[in-house]
């Protein structure tokens, strides 16, 4: 399915999700990287040991969620747009979701955009809480979205109308 559509299976998504206990502690990275390719900038970007050392450059990332503070630096380092941060502790029925964004326009802070699932379907209106640059030599933006908590693990992109 992934190779034909670019959409991972629910089993693949579940396999990389942090435990409910870790999610309940605060912001944490989720790495939806499912293809073995020679790539590791996520690992070198994290200075906290959130990514375990790669034994081979083609390995899929393996995480130590206890070391991750949800800073989001690794989001901008990933050329595959495969890294996200979820904070389920934001509010009773809302979560914060950090996603990479490489399209134009870059949405404005405070604007309302469409939250899309992995297939590109609209799930909900979401607010753009924060927009930050991934770095002076990196065109990627990192968006922090306020999303319905029930969609925190389903929304993975946005549409700016
Ligand atoms: S979010 Fe920050 S602490 Fe967590 S894995 Fe990424 S770079 Fe490391
Ligand atoms: S940088 Fe992104 S695509 Fe490359 S290994 Fe890490 S998560 Fe996968």
């Amino acid at each position: 399915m992934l190779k034909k559509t670019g959409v991972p299976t629910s089993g693949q998504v579940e396999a990389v999700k942090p435990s409910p206990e870790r999610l309940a502690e605060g912001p944490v990275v989720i790495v939806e990287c499912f293809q073995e390719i020679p790539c590791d900038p996520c690992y070198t970007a994290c200075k906290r040991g959130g990514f375990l050392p790669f034994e081979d450059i083609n390995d899929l990332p393996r995480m130590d969620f206890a070391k991750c503070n949800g800073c989001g630096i690794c989001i901008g380092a990933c050329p595959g747009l495969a890294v996200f941060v979820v904070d389920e502790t934001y509010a009773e029925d809302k979560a914060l979701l950090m996603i990479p964004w490489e399209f134009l326009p870059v949405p404005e802070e405070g604007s309302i955009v469409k939250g899309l699932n992995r297939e590109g379907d609209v799930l909900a209106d979401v607010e753009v809480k924060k927009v930050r640059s991934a770095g002076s030599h990196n065109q990627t933006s990192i968006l922090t979205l306020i999303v319905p908590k029930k969609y925190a693990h389903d929304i993975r992109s946005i549409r700016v109308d």
Side-chain angles (χ1 to χ4, degrees), residues 15-69:
V16 297
K17 216 164 135 181
S19 67
E21 293 77 19
R22 176 62 190 85
L23 284 162
E25 287 174 2
V28 64
V29 73
I30 298 179
V31 182
E32 299 187 355
C33 176
F34 303 113
Q35 280 195 286
E36 293 183 352
I37 54 172
C39 185
D40 72 350
C42 52
Y43 165 64
T44 53
C46 181
K47 306 306 178 199
R48 298 180 61 91
F51 289 79
L52 296 174
F54 282 53
E55 289 168 14
D56 183 285
I57 187 75
N58 292 293
D59 285 348
L60 297 179
R62 294 171 303 126
M63 311 309 297
D64 182 347
F65 293 120
K67 300 245 177 81
C68 174
N69 67 355

